[in-house]
Amino acid sequence: MSTTLPPFEEIVSTHGPTVLRVCRAVLGPMDAEDAWSETFLAALRAYPTLRPGSNVEAWLVTIAHRKAIDQARARTHRPLPVDPLPERAAPSEADRSDGDLWAAMQALPFKQRAAVAYHHVGGMPYADVAALIGGSQDAARRAAADGIAKLRKTYGEGGPR
Amino acid sequence: MMTTHEPGEPERSDLFVGLTAIDEGTMRRLHGRLVREAQTEGLLDVAYRTIDSPVGPLLLAATAKGLVRVAYQCEDHEKVLERLARDLSPRILHAPARLDAAAKEIDEYFAGLRRGFELPVDLSLASGFRRLVLARLREIGYGQTASYAAIAVAAGNPKAVRAVGTACATNPIPVVVPCHRVVRTDGSIGQYVGGVEAKRTLLTLEAAA
């Protein structure tokens, strides 16, 4: 667009919802809001150094990915599992209706989950997905395809087609 | 840095097509949390909100130092925010609570209950002679007026009458820094950043109180 960065408020309102979905897809609804908050705080900190004209959504998903890894790592050190929906501030009605899908996502291995989240939910091209999760572009594509195939079995049968 | 599309990319899976929209309450809650955390971390460089007033909606923006911008609707609030991002910092968030005190004083002013502003101001959007003029403007009392020529004298440059006009026209904090109290030497009202009608409204308000 131009040579200057828009006010950060615009970044939050334009990309906030998509980034929240990506966080939900990777981490599940319960940890997603913490990851979202950490992502946008980190993004706000780094924002003045972002080159104008950059792909902001891909930049945000990249930051979210680092936060997701931190959280996934923290989670494995947590004492005990891990009902997919432990009690906490209850998500709203609309947010809960996607809960089955997010729960099915949680059953995928991290790489597949991340590939599905970044490509199918975040709209990131596979080249960028590969740069984030490691491995080749083809491997990222395969991870996402495997993830989607599993989701079709666990969730997709009764779910929307 | 990153590409947006690749040729031959398979479409996104239809599994995610039917997702419900993220509801507004959730986004509002997350936005509020971001504002609080940004403030704690010292990352909220510019906070803004809008208020209603008898001269139309006003945009208020503040830095950590104080009120830095008041903008009339005719200045185009979106453009004003873009310029603040360029001139001050792009770390700008809608954070009404941080402008509660400023909003309250301005409300009281328009209600005729307040004759002077105590809120801290940040004049960093004006520099040099313009900034000097703004400082002089703050000395014109409520309900009084001064001529452009008189302000030029007060600012130490009697010949700079036009420059005083420019300083008033580009006043970043109108209403609070009272450029509306500067009129022509012949007593006619002169121009105003918020339009002549708004200037008349302010002068009438102050004459009545």
Short mmCIF file of all heavy atoms in Angstrom, two decimals, chain B residues 22-70:
data_model
loop_
_atom_site.label_atom_id
_atom_site.label_comp_id
_atom_site.label_asym_id
_atom_site.label_seq_id
_atom_site.Cartn_x
_atom_site.Cartn_y
_atom_site.Cartn_z
N ILE B 22 -15.97 -15.41 14.77
CA ILE B 22 -15.52 -15.12 16.14
C ILE B 22 -16.45 -14.03 16.67
O ILE B 22 -16.63 -13.01 16.02
CB ILE B 22 -14.07 -14.59 16.12
CG1 ILE B 22 -13.14 -15.55 15.40
CG2 ILE B 22 -13.62 -14.26 17.54
CD1 ILE B 22 -12.65 -16.72 16.19
N ASP B 23 -17.03 -14.26 17.85
CA ASP B 23 -18.03 -13.28 18.25
C ASP B 23 -17.38 -12.01 18.81
O ASP B 23 -16.25 -12.02 19.27
CB ASP B 23 -19.06 -13.90 19.21
CG ASP B 23 -18.50 -14.00 20.60
OD1 ASP B 23 -17.51 -14.73 20.77
OD2 ASP B 23 -19.03 -13.35 21.51
N GLU B 24 -18.14 -10.93 18.70
CA GLU B 24 -17.61 -9.61 19.03
C GLU B 24 -17.18 -9.50 20.48
O GLU B 24 -16.20 -8.84 20.79
CB GLU B 24 -18.69 -8.55 18.78
CG GLU B 24 -18.59 -7.91 17.43
CD GLU B 24 -19.75 -6.96 17.21
OE1 GLU B 24 -19.99 -6.13 18.11
OE2 GLU B 24 -20.41 -7.07 16.16
N GLY B 25 -17.93 -10.16 21.37
CA GLY B 25 -17.59 -10.10 22.79
C GLY B 25 -16.21 -10.66 23.06
O GLY B 25 -15.44 -10.11 23.84
N THR B 26 -15.89 -11.76 22.38
CA THR B 26 -14.57 -12.35 22.55
C THR B 26 -13.49 -11.39 22.08
O THR B 26 -12.48 -11.17 22.77
CB THR B 26 -14.47 -13.67 21.75
OG1 THR B 26 -15.48 -14.55 22.22
CG2 THR B 26 -13.10 -14.31 21.91
N MET B 27 -13.68 -10.80 20.90
CA MET B 27 -12.67 -9.88 20.38
C MET B 27 -12.54 -8.66 21.29
O MET B 27 -11.44 -8.16 21.51
CB MET B 27 -13.01 -9.44 18.96
CG MET B 27 -12.83 -10.50 17.88
SD MET B 27 -11.35 -11.55 18.03
CE MET B 27 -10.03 -10.37 17.90
N ARG B 28 -13.66 -8.19 21.83
CA ARG B 28 -13.61 -7.02 22.70
C ARG B 28 -12.80 -7.33 23.97
O ARG B 28 -11.99 -6.54 24.44
CB ARG B 28 -15.02 -6.57 23.06
CG ARG B 28 -15.11 -5.05 23.29
CD ARG B 28 -16.55 -4.60 23.51
NE ARG B 28 -17.45 -5.06 22.46
CZ ARG B 28 -18.56 -5.75 22.66
NH1 ARG B 28 -18.92 -6.08 23.88
NH2 ARG B 28 -19.32 -6.11 21.65
N ARG B 29 -13.06 -8.52 24.52
CA ARG B 29 -12.34 -8.94 25.73
C ARG B 29 -10.84 -9.04 25.45
O ARG B 29 -10.01 -8.56 26.23
CB ARG B 29 -12.91 -10.29 26.18
CG ARG B 29 -12.38 -10.83 27.47
CD ARG B 29 -13.35 -11.85 28.07
NE ARG B 29 -13.96 -12.74 27.07
CZ ARG B 29 -13.35 -13.81 26.56
NH1 ARG B 29 -12.14 -14.11 26.96
NH2 ARG B 29 -13.97 -14.57 25.68
N LEU B 30 -10.49 -9.66 24.32
CA LEU B 30 -9.07 -9.81 24.00
C LEU B 30 -8.42 -8.45 23.72
O LEU B 30 -7.28 -8.21 24.08
CB LEU B 30 -8.91 -10.73 22.77
CG LEU B 30 -9.15 -12.21 23.04
CD1 LEU B 30 -9.18 -13.00 21.74
CD2 LEU B 30 -8.09 -12.77 23.98
N HIS B 31 -9.18 -7.57 23.08
CA HIS B 31 -8.66 -6.23 22.80
C HIS B 31 -8.39 -5.49 24.10
O HIS B 31 -7.34 -4.85 24.26
CB HIS B 31 -9.66 -5.47 21.92
CG HIS B 31 -9.16 -4.13 21.46
ND1 HIS B 31 -9.14 -3.02 22.28
CD2 HIS B 31 -8.64 -3.74 20.28
CE1 HIS B 31 -8.63 -2.00 21.60
NE2 HIS B 31 -8.31 -2.41 20.39
N GLY B 32 -9.32 -5.60 25.04
CA GLY B 32 -9.14 -4.94 26.33
C GLY B 32 -7.92 -5.46 27.07
O GLY B 32 -7.15 -4.69 27.66
N ARG B 33 -7.73 -6.76 27.00
CA ARG B 33 -6.56 -7.37 27.64
C ARG B 33 -5.27 -6.87 26.97
O ARG B 33 -4.30 -6.55 27.65
CB ARG B 33 -6.68 -8.89 27.54
CG ARG B 33 -5.50 -9.64 28.12
CD ARG B 33 -5.80 -11.13 28.14
NE ARG B 33 -4.58 -11.90 28.35
CZ ARG B 33 -4.51 -13.22 28.31
NH1 ARG B 33 -5.60 -13.93 28.05
NH2 ARG B 33 -3.38 -13.84 28.51
N LEU B 34 -5.30 -6.76 25.65
CA LEU B 34 -4.12 -6.28 24.92
C LEU B 34 -3.79 -4.84 25.35
O LEU B 34 -2.63 -4.50 25.58
CB LEU B 34 -4.37 -6.35 23.41
CG LEU B 34 -3.27 -5.78 22.52
CD1 LEU B 34 -1.97 -6.58 22.68
CD2 LEU B 34 -3.70 -5.78 21.05
N VAL B 35 -4.82 -4.01 25.46
CA VAL B 35 -4.60 -2.62 25.87
C VAL B 35 -3.97 -2.57 27.26
O VAL B 35 -2.98 -1.86 27.48
CB VAL B 35 -5.91 -1.82 25.85
CG1 VAL B 35 -5.75 -0.48 26.57
CG2 VAL B 35 -6.37 -1.59 24.41
N ARG B 36 -4.51 -3.37 28.18
CA ARG B 36 -3.98 -3.36 29.55
C ARG B 36 -2.53 -3.82 29.58
O ARG B 36 -1.67 -3.20 30.21
CB ARG B 36 -4.82 -4.28 30.45
CG ARG B 36 -6.13 -3.66 30.90
CD ARG B 36 -6.75 -4.47 32.05
NE ARG B 36 -6.94 -5.88 31.71
CZ ARG B 36 -7.96 -6.35 31.01
NH1 ARG B 36 -8.88 -5.53 30.55
NH2 ARG B 36 -8.07 -7.65 30.75
N GLU B 37 -2.25 -4.93 28.88
CA GLU B 37 -0.89 -5.46 28.90
C GLU B 37 0.08 -4.52 28.18
O GLU B 37 1.22 -4.35 28.61
CB GLU B 37 -0.87 -6.87 28.29
CG GLU B 37 -1.59 -7.86 29.20
CD GLU B 37 -1.68 -9.27 28.63
OE1 GLU B 37 -1.38 -9.46 27.43
OE2 GLU B 37 -2.06 -10.18 29.38
N ALA B 38 -0.39 -3.92 27.08
CA ALA B 38 0.46 -2.98 26.34
C ALA B 38 0.83 -1.79 27.23
O ALA B 38 1.96 -1.31 27.24
CB ALA B 38 -0.25 -2.50 25.08
N GLN B 39 -0.13 -1.35 28.00
CA GLN B 39 0.11 -0.21 28.88
C GLN B 39 1.12 -0.57 29.97
O GLN B 39 2.03 0.19 30.26
CB GLN B 39 -1.21 0.24 29.49
CG GLN B 39 -1.19 1.68 29.88
CD GLN B 39 -2.60 2.25 29.95
OE1 GLN B 39 -3.55 1.66 29.45
NE2 GLN B 39 -2.73 3.40 30.58
N THR B 40 0.92 -1.76 30.55
CA THR B 40 1.85 -2.22 31.59
C THR B 40 3.27 -2.32 31.04
O THR B 40 4.24 -1.99 31.73
CB THR B 40 1.41 -3.61 32.10
OG1 THR B 40 0.03 -3.54 32.47
CG2 THR B 40 2.23 -4.04 33.30
N GLU B 41 3.39 -2.79 29.82
CA GLU B 41 4.72 -2.98 29.21
C GLU B 41 5.27 -1.70 28.59
O GLU B 41 6.34 -1.72 27.98
CB GLU B 41 4.63 -4.06 28.12
CG GLU B 41 4.15 -5.40 28.60
CD GLU B 41 5.28 -6.26 29.15
OE1 GLU B 41 6.35 -6.28 28.54
OE2 GLU B 41 5.08 -6.90 30.20
N GLY B 42 4.51 -0.61 28.68
CA GLY B 42 4.98 0.64 28.08
C GLY B 42 4.97 0.61 26.56
O GLY B 42 5.76 1.29 25.92
N LEU B 43 4.04 -0.17 25.97
CA LEU B 43 4.02 -0.29 24.50
C LEU B 43 2.88 0.48 23.86
O LEU B 43 2.73 0.48 22.64
CB LEU B 43 3.91 -1.77 24.10
CG LEU B 43 5.09 -2.65 24.47
CD1 LEU B 43 4.79 -4.11 24.14
CD2 LEU B 43 6.34 -2.20 23.72
N LEU B 44 2.04 1.10 24.68
CA LEU B 44 0.92 1.85 24.12
C LEU B 44 1.37 3.30 23.92
O LEU B 44 1.25 4.12 24.81
CB LEU B 44 -0.30 1.76 25.04
CG LEU B 44 -1.57 2.49 24.60
CD1 LEU B 44 -1.92 2.16 23.16
CD2 LEU B 44 -2.73 2.13 25.50
N ASP B 45 1.92 3.60 22.75
CA ASP B 45 2.49 4.93 22.51
C ASP B 45 1.40 5.98 22.32
O ASP B 45 1.55 7.12 22.74
CB ASP B 45 3.41 4.90 21.29
CG ASP B 45 4.64 4.04 21.53
OD1 ASP B 45 4.97 3.79 22.72
OD2 ASP B 45 5.29 3.62 20.55
N VAL B 46 0.33 5.59 21.63
CA VAL B 46 -0.77 6.53 21.40
C VAL B 46 -2.10 5.83 21.67
O VAL B 46 -2.38 4.79 21.07
CB VAL B 46 -0.77 7.08 19.96
CG1 VAL B 46 -1.89 8.08 19.76
CG2 VAL B 46 0.58 7.71 19.60
N ALA B 47 -2.89 6.39 22.59
CA ALA B 47 -4.23 5.88 22.86
C ALA B 47 -5.24 6.86 22.25
O ALA B 47 -4.99 8.05 22.23
CB ALA B 47 -4.46 5.78 24.37
N TYR B 48 -6.37 6.33 21.75
CA TYR B 48 -7.36 7.26 21.20
C TYR B 48 -8.78 6.81 21.50
O TYR B 48 -9.04 5.67 21.86
CB TYR B 48 -7.15 7.46 19.69
CG TYR B 48 -7.63 6.30 18.84
CD1 TYR B 48 -8.93 6.25 18.34
CD2 TYR B 48 -6.76 5.26 18.52
CE1 TYR B 48 -9.37 5.19 17.56
CE2 TYR B 48 -7.19 4.20 17.74
CZ TYR B 48 -8.49 4.17 17.26
OH TYR B 48 -8.92 3.12 16.49
N ARG B 49 -9.67 7.76 21.37
CA ARG B 49 -11.10 7.50 21.45
C ARG B 49 -11.82 8.62 20.73
O ARG B 49 -11.20 9.63 20.39
CB ARG B 49 -11.58 7.41 22.91
CG ARG B 49 -11.63 8.79 23.58
CD ARG B 49 -12.11 8.73 25.01
NE ARG B 49 -13.51 8.42 25.12
CZ ARG B 49 -14.14 8.22 26.29
NH1 ARG B 49 -13.44 8.29 27.42
NH2 ARG B 49 -15.42 7.96 26.33
N THR B 50 -13.13 8.48 20.51
CA THR B 50 -13.90 9.61 20.00
C THR B 50 -14.97 9.96 21.02
O THR B 50 -15.42 9.11 21.80
CB THR B 50 -14.57 9.30 18.65
OG1 THR B 50 -15.28 8.07 18.77
CG2 THR B 50 -13.55 9.17 17.54
N ILE B 51 -15.34 11.23 21.04
CA ILE B 51 -16.44 11.67 21.90
C ILE B 51 -17.40 12.51 21.06
O ILE B 51 -17.02 13.07 20.02
CB ILE B 51 -15.94 12.52 23.10
CG1 ILE B 51 -15.18 13.76 22.62
CG2 ILE B 51 -15.07 11.70 24.02
CD1 ILE B 51 -14.88 14.76 23.73
N ASP B 52 -18.63 12.58 21.51
CA ASP B 52 -19.60 13.46 20.86
C ASP B 52 -19.51 14.84 21.48
O ASP B 52 -19.21 14.98 22.66
CB ASP B 52 -21.02 12.91 21.06
CG ASP B 52 -21.26 11.71 20.17
OD1 ASP B 52 -20.74 11.71 19.03
OD2 ASP B 52 -21.93 10.76 20.61
N SER B 53 -19.77 15.86 20.68
CA SER B 53 -19.75 17.22 21.20
C SER B 53 -20.71 18.07 20.37
O SER B 53 -21.13 17.65 19.29
CB SER B 53 -18.33 17.79 21.11
OG SER B 53 -18.10 18.32 19.82
N PRO B 54 -21.03 19.27 20.85
CA PRO B 54 -21.90 20.15 20.08
C PRO B 54 -21.30 20.55 18.73
O PRO B 54 -22.00 21.06 17.86
CB PRO B 54 -22.05 21.39 20.99
CG PRO B 54 -21.70 20.91 22.35
CD PRO B 54 -20.70 19.82 22.17
N VAL B 55 -20.00 20.36 18.56
CA VAL B 55 -19.38 20.67 17.26
C VAL B 55 -19.04 19.38 16.51
O VAL B 55 -18.15 19.36 15.65
CB VAL B 55 -18.12 21.55 17.42
CG1 VAL B 55 -18.51 22.96 17.84
CG2 VAL B 55 -17.16 20.96 18.46
N GLY B 56 -19.77 18.32 16.82
CA GLY B 56 -19.59 17.06 16.10
C GLY B 56 -18.65 16.12 16.83
O GLY B 56 -18.07 16.48 17.86
N PRO B 57 -18.49 14.91 16.29
CA PRO B 57 -17.59 13.94 16.93
C PRO B 57 -16.14 14.45 16.93
O PRO B 57 -15.68 14.97 15.92
CB PRO B 57 -17.69 12.70 16.03
CG PRO B 57 -18.84 12.92 15.14
CD PRO B 57 -19.09 14.38 15.05
N LEU B 58 -15.49 14.30 18.07
CA LEU B 58 -14.09 14.71 18.18
C LEU B 58 -13.24 13.48 18.44
O LEU B 58 -13.58 12.64 19.27
CB LEU B 58 -13.89 15.71 19.32
CG LEU B 58 -14.58 17.06 19.22
CD1 LEU B 58 -14.37 17.85 20.51
CD2 LEU B 58 -14.04 17.85 18.02
N LEU B 59 -12.13 13.39 17.74
CA LEU B 59 -11.14 12.35 18.02
C LEU B 59 -10.16 12.90 19.06
O LEU B 59 -9.66 14.01 18.91
CB LEU B 59 -10.37 11.99 16.75
CG LEU B 59 -9.22 11.01 16.91
CD1 LEU B 59 -9.72 9.58 17.00
CD2 LEU B 59 -8.21 11.15 15.78
N LEU B 60 -9.93 12.14 20.12
CA LEU B 60 -8.93 12.52 21.13
C LEU B 60 -7.81 11.48 21.11
O LEU B 60 -8.08 10.28 21.10
CB LEU B 60 -9.53 12.54 22.54
CG LEU B 60 -10.85 13.27 22.78
CD1 LEU B 60 -11.22 13.21 24.27
CD2 LEU B 60 -10.78 14.71 22.31
N ALA B 61 -6.57 11.95 21.09
CA ALA B 61 -5.44 11.02 21.14
C ALA B 61 -4.45 11.52 22.17
O ALA B 61 -4.23 12.73 22.31
CB ALA B 61 -4.77 10.91 19.77
N ALA B 62 -3.85 10.57 22.91
CA ALA B 62 -2.92 10.94 23.97
C ALA B 62 -1.68 10.06 23.93
O ALA B 62 -1.75 8.87 23.62
CB ALA B 62 -3.59 10.82 25.34
N THR B 63 -0.54 10.66 24.26
CA THR B 63 0.68 9.91 24.52
C THR B 63 0.82 9.79 26.03
O THR B 63 -0.05 10.24 26.78
CB THR B 63 1.90 10.65 23.96
OG1 THR B 63 2.05 11.88 24.68
CG2 THR B 63 1.76 10.93 22.48
N ALA B 64 1.92 9.21 26.47
CA ALA B 64 2.16 9.11 27.91
C ALA B 64 2.29 10.50 28.53
O ALA B 64 1.99 10.69 29.71
CB ALA B 64 3.44 8.30 28.17
N LYS B 65 2.69 11.50 27.71
CA LYS B 65 2.86 12.86 28.25
C LYS B 65 1.55 13.60 28.41
O LYS B 65 1.44 14.47 29.27
CB LYS B 65 3.76 13.66 27.30
CG LYS B 65 5.23 13.33 27.44
CD LYS B 65 6.05 14.37 26.65
CE LYS B 65 7.16 13.70 25.89
NZ LYS B 65 7.54 14.42 24.67
N GLY B 66 0.59 13.29 27.57
CA GLY B 66 -0.68 13.99 27.68
C GLY B 66 -1.42 14.02 26.36
O GLY B 66 -1.04 13.34 25.40
N LEU B 67 -2.47 14.82 26.33
CA LEU B 67 -3.31 14.94 25.13
C LEU B 67 -2.47 15.50 23.99
O LEU B 67 -1.88 16.58 24.11
CB LEU B 67 -4.49 15.86 25.44
CG LEU B 67 -5.60 15.93 24.39
CD1 LEU B 67 -6.34 14.59 24.28
CD2 LEU B 67 -6.58 17.05 24.74
N VAL B 68 -2.43 14.78 22.88
CA VAL B 68 -1.53 15.18 21.80
C VAL B 68 -2.29 15.64 20.56
O VAL B 68 -1.75 16.34 19.71
CB VAL B 68 -0.56 14.02 21.46
CG1 VAL B 68 -1.27 12.91 20.69
CG2 VAL B 68 0.67 14.49 20.70
N ARG B 69 -3.60 15.25 20.50
CA ARG B 69 -4.36 15.57 19.29
C ARG B 69 -5.83 15.61 19.62
O ARG B 69 -6.36 14.73 20.31
CB ARG B 69 -4.09 14.49 18.23
CG ARG B 69 -4.59 14.80 16.83
CD ARG B 69 -3.72 15.81 16.14
NE ARG B 69 -4.05 15.96 14.71
CZ ARG B 69 -5.00 16.79 14.24
NH1 ARG B 69 -5.71 17.55 15.06
NH2 ARG B 69 -5.23 16.86 12.94
N VAL B 70 -6.49 16.66 19.12
CA VAL B 70 -7.95 16.72 19.07
C VAL B 70 -8.30 16.98 17.62
O VAL B 70 -7.72 17.89 17.02
CB VAL B 70 -8.51 17.85 19.96
CG1 VAL B 70 -10.02 18.01 19.75
CG2 VAL B 70 -8.22 17.59 21.44
#
